[in-house]
Amino acid sequence: MAATFHGVGATVAALSSSSSSSSSSSPSNSFGSKILLSSPSRSFSVRKRASFTMVRSEGSMNFDLNFKGRRAQQLIANAVATKADSSPASSSSKPGHELLLFEALREGLEEEMERDPRVCVMGEDVGHYGGSYKVTKGLATKFGDLRVLDTPIAENSFTGMGIGAAMTGLRPVVEGMNMGFLLLAFNQISNNCGMLHYTSGGQFTIPIVIRGPGGVGRQLGAEHSQRLESYFQSIPGIQMVACSTPYNAKGLMKAAIRSENPVILFEHVLLYNLKERIPDEDYICNLEEAEMVRPGEHVTILTYSRMRYHVMQAAKTLVNKGYDPEVIDIRSLKPFDLYTIGNSVKKTHRVLIVEECMRTGGIGASLIAAITENFNDYLDAPIMCLSSQDVPTPYAGTLEEWTVVQPAQIVAAVEQLCQ
């Protein structure tokens, strides 16, 4: 197998040099850092020091749902109504083309394979079968078996092979049939993928993308319902992003492939069939930038992946109740976009984090630490975090639903925060 990849690397050597030089000069590949703006008008002395509150997803805290009348009137006056859904007739006339999320991932991957001959794919059943969720369907026929490589059921081996391929100059995309299976490759991801650039003294870069489906699905059982964001976030040298729409799925896929850093792209099993109209022209998304989903004034709700849709469902109820939530899809799980998050906290002074990750040591816990360190003086209330319960995901559908945050709990948490 080493000889196979050596041959591929030799074949594309001349092409890759010109490709890399052109891509490096492209302004779309340079992600400029932003400077966090502080508000001089806010006084540190008048802001109380706020702690944080962790809330289990079953909503075990006692919320007082009776909102004070005068405050409710103020909130109603300032509430922002959500935009009405566009009709099929109007959406069909818009420019661009409609794709399901898994099709958007495939389109982004296919475009990058056409653009750069160093890009290759490897994993279980990614070849002529097209992947377990059809993200790589048709790519083996188009690009051949050397660039779309079916592997044995051996995650530790083919992940290590992908890391070695990246060290030799290729840009592999490694698919885990399920994110839970990548625990078998944890040694390769932590000790090699994240650290080799440093431990080699900068002699090697590891431009690899590790991607695959995860999250709580429809009765997939405990081992197939893993959320591994918290497992990988502590590994130095690795970036993590989570897609939530067809638009950002394609944009993040393309940006991750072009990045010189190892990137883990988290996809949710229940979002693959989401449909959205995306642009016809080429675009990428910033790997380190959050997305403002809904501007608001009263509370900042930070979320990502599938929980974005639970939050937006709750937002409709909250608007009807007179609240104006600001919803941010953080997208970049490592590093956090503290510019966007910080400016929102300075505006709303209240934070609710909604995640599907586990409560203990999850992304929410890291967000709480980051916000408390940087923006504690702007908080008027304790940070609240709604997370999945620290239990194996049950197979029974009713029990499975109880382990994950539901929209009604989000509504109750916002009402508690805004009192």
Side-chain angles (χ1 to χ4, degrees):
M1 192 57 65
T4 300
F5 278 100
H6 181 74
V8 175
T11 303
V12 302
L15 292 172
S16 62
S17 60
S18 61
S19 171
S20 61
S21 62
S22 62
S23 62
S24 62
S25 61
S26 173
S28 62
N29 290 341
S30 59
F31 300 142
S33 59
K34 299 177 180 177
I35 301 174
L36 185 63
L37 301 177
S38 60
S39 175
S41 61
R42 301 212 60 82
S43 172
F44 282 80
S45 60
V46 299
R47 290 286 167 198
K48 61 182 180 181
R49 306 292 294 186
S51 60
F52 63 85
T53 303
M54 300 292 288
V55 184
R56 289 188 179 274
S57 65
E58 74 269 22
S60 57
M61 286 190 64
N62 294 323
F63 293 119
D64 181 8
L65 302 184
N66 296 320
F67 194 67
K68 303 297 184 290
R70 187 180 67 175
R71 179 61 174 164
Q73 292 176 358
Q74 294 173 349
L75 294 178
I76 291 172
N78 296 330
V80 178
T82 56
K83 293 183 179 179
D85 296 333
S86 57
S87 63
S90 61
S91 63
S92 62
S93 62
K94 294 179 181 178
H97 55 290
E98 282 192 342
L99 288 178
L100 300 175
L101 190 143
F102 78 90
E103 294 173 329
L105 288 167
R106 182 201 303 151
E107 185 172 270
L109 179 55
E110 184 176 1
E111 288 178 3
E112 291 305 300
M113 293 183 75
E114 290 175 342
R115 187 187 70 90
D116 189 344
R118 297 171 296 170
V119 179
C120 56
V121 181
M122 60 186 71
E124 300 156 358
D125 290 333
V126 298
H128 294 281
Y129 183 72
S132 56
Y133 289 90
K134 303 305 177 185
V135 173
T136 57
K137 183 179 180 181
L139 298 185
T141 303
K142 182 172 183 178
F143 297 103
D145 294 339
L146 285 180
R147 294 186 66 191
V148 184
L149 183 66
D150 272 323
T151 66
I153 304 175
E155 283 78 9
N156 189 57
S157 299
F158 68 72
T159 302
M161 183 173 65
I163 295 168
M167 293 173 68
T168 66
L170 300 181
R171 307 185 84 85
V173 178
V174 174
E175 175 179 315
M177 185 178 286
N178 183 281
M179 276 300 196
F181 303 159
L182 289 179
L183 288 176
L184 298 168
F186 194 85
N187 175 62
Q188 292 286 359
I189 296 172
S190 60
N191 284 327
N192 293 327
C193 186
M195 300 185 186
L196 272 171
H197 179 67
Y198 173 79
T199 56
S200 68
Q203 296 180 75
F204 294 106
T205 56
I206 318 295
I208 188 174
V209 179
I210 300 173
R211 52 155 296 270
V216 178
R218 292 281 186 263
Q219 295 181 265
L220 297 178
E223 294 178 352
H224 290 70
S225 302
Q226 297 272 33
R227 286 82 82 198
L228 298 188
E229 304 95 295
S230 60
Y231 287 68
F232 293 122
Q233 68 171 328
S234 61
I235 301 175
I238 285 182
Q239 286 186 267
M240 303 195 312
V241 291
C243 60
S244 55
T245 68
Y247 177 86
N248 65 40
K250 179 182 177 180
L252 291 173
M253 170 71 86
K254 292 171 71 71
I257 292 173
R258 298 184 191 186
S259 174
E260 295 300 323
N261 298 315
V263 179
I264 301 179
L265 173 59
F266 291 93
E267 305 156 14
H268 200 288
V269 291
L270 294 184
L271 300 184
Y272 278 127
N273 288 323
L274 275 177
K275 181 179 284 189
E276 184 184 23
R277 185 171 295 274
I278 66 175
D280 292 326
E281 61 271 12
D282 187 35
Y283 70 92
I284 62 172
C285 294
N286 193 325
L287 291 175
E288 301 178 8
E289 190 173 86
E291 176 187 351
M292 179 66 68
V293 180
R294 183 191 188 280
E297 297 290 337
H298 299 148
V299 59
T300 297
I301 304 181
L302 304 176
T303 188
Y304 65 94
S305 191
R306 176 197 176 193
M307 286 296 109
R308 166 175 175 159
Y309 298 95
H310 282 212
V311 169
M312 291 308 294
Q313 185 177 340
K316 294 179 181 179
T317 302
L318 289 168
V319 168
N320 292 333
K321 286 176 173 282
Y323 299 92
D324 186 17
E326 179 154 291
V327 180
I328 296 176
D329 184 345
I330 62 173
R331 284 197 318 203
S332 176
L333 307 184
K334 183 183 178 182
F336 295 134
D337 179 6
L338 292 181
Y339 176 86
T340 301
I341 294 171
N343 285 335
S344 180
V345 172
K346 291 176 182 180
K347 178 171 63 172
T348 67
H349 312 295
R350 293 172 176 83
V351 179
L352 172 64
I353 300 167
V354 182
E355 62 176 346
E356 195 179 286
C357 198
M358 296 300 184
R359 178 188 178 197
T360 302
I363 296 298
S366 296
L367 272 172
I368 288 173
I371 295 170
T372 303
E373 279 184 12
N374 294 281
F375 312 109
N376 191 58
D377 289 293
Y378 293 93
L379 294 173
D380 285 347
I383 302 172
M384 296 183 67
C385 183
L386 299 176
S387 308
S388 292
Q389 297 181 46
D390 288 337
V391 297
T393 304
Y395 175 76
T398 51
L399 294 178
E400 179 185 72
E401 186 175 307
W402 273 97
T403 66
V404 180
V405 180
Q406 300 300 324
Q409 296 167 245
I410 301 170
V411 173
V414 169
E415 290 179 326
Q416 173 73 10
L417 273 173
C418 291
Q419 282 184 343

